[in-house]
Amino acid sequence: MKRLLFIISCLVFVITSKAQAPSFSTPNAAGVTLHYNIIDATKRYVELTNKKGGILSWEDRYTETTIIVPATVVNPNDGQTYTVKRIGDWALHSSLVKHFEMPTTVEEIGYRSFRQVNLQDQLVFHEGLRNVGRESFDNAGYGPGLDLTLTLPSTCDSIGWMNFAHAFTTGTVDLSRCSKLKYIVGLVFHRGNIHTLKLPEGLLVIGERTFDNNKLVSLDIPSTVKKIEVGAFASNPTLKEVNLRKL
């Protein structure tokens, strides 16, 4: 029995070890080696990942301060060209990157991908980006200064839980172009310094504690909103005016 358990544990270790490696690695134009996972072999789509293939590893994080991700990359294993469609889970978590350029081909930013990263040049959220994943910018800075404007594109239809929580350098959040965004989940912008908020028409639900513990001065709730969950705008002591429209 012990021998059987030992064999099973060894097999699990081997499988896990293989799963932790990226599909391939290749340098960008500046000579920085970037790591990729294949996420759709038929369409030849990849995501940017880290040396562990998407597992958090402090020792194997990116240490380069400038990372420019190309729109397409050639896989050295098969010579085929792949399109970068995603910034993978944990890809840049705790990395030392200060300047990051994301290609316009990216449609999704994964779980905790930029957590604890402090960029010195403001990251551009381009048209075509659909989903900004859970906790991807929690405790992170996506640009320099103390009063940044966060603008998400019209193609964005999903913002993950606690995504921009603790973004103390953000003053303005502009979601006015996100007409496909129907539901803002709880704690997305929890605890920060947001004083100006622009919400999109078409929005249906504002989740629990979404904008709590900020510095909002006034609110203009879109006419399409059907529900505001508990504590969505709690602990905004500077809030003086709320326009509910047809709520």
Side-chain angles (χ1 to χ4, degrees), residues 181-182 200-205 221-227 244-247:
L181 186 65
K182 304 302 180 185
E201 283 292 321
L203 183 66
L204 299 176
V205 179
I221 305 297
S223 63
T224 52
V225 171
K226 305 298 182 184
K227 183 180 181 182
L244 295 176
R245 295 193 187 180
K246 298 179 181 179
L247 186 65

Side-chain angles (χ1 to χ4, degrees), residues 8-32:
I8 292 173
S9 65
C10 289
L11 287 172
V12 169
F13 176 79
V14 170
I15 293 170
T16 304
S17 298
K18 288 183 178 179
Q20 290 180 346
S23 299
F24 65 89
S25 303
T26 188
N28 64 6
V32 176

Side-chain angles (χ1 to χ4, degrees), residues 50 55-65 67 88-98 111-119 135-141:
N50 54 30
I55 303 298
L56 176 61
S57 174
W58 183 269
E59 296 81 5
D60 295 312
R61 60 182 175 159
Y62 286 103
T63 56
E64 295 81 3
T65 56
I67 294 179
D89 299 349
W90 305 96
L92 297 151
H93 189 296
S94 302
S95 71
L96 302 182
V97 62
K98 300 299 181 184
Y111 174 61
R112 292 192 171 184
S113 50
F114 287 88
R115 196 168 191 267
Q116 296 180 3
V117 170
N118 288 292
L119 300 179
E135 298 179 63
S136 54
F137 290 91
D138 180 25
N139 277 303

Side-chain angles (χ1 to χ4, degrees), residues 57-121:
S57 174
W58 183 269
E59 296 81 5
D60 295 312
R61 60 182 175 159
Y62 286 103
T63 56
E64 295 81 3
T65 56
T66 298
I67 294 179
I68 300 174
V69 182
T72 60
V73 292
V74 175
N75 182 348
N77 299 325
D78 62 15
Q80 298 293 317
T81 299
Y82 289 74
T83 302
V84 180
K85 284 289 186 178
R86 188 173 189 269
I87 305 299
D89 299 349
W90 305 96
L92 297 151
H93 189 296
S94 302
S95 71
L96 302 182
V97 62
K98 300 299 181 184
H99 174 76
F100 184 85
E101 291 187 20
M102 181 167 58
T104 57
T105 53
V106 168
E107 296 181 353
E108 181 177 8
I109 297 175
Y111 174 61
R112 292 192 171 184
S113 50
F114 287 88
R115 196 168 191 267
Q116 296 180 3
V117 170
N118 288 292
L119 300 179
Q120 292 179 355
D121 294 319

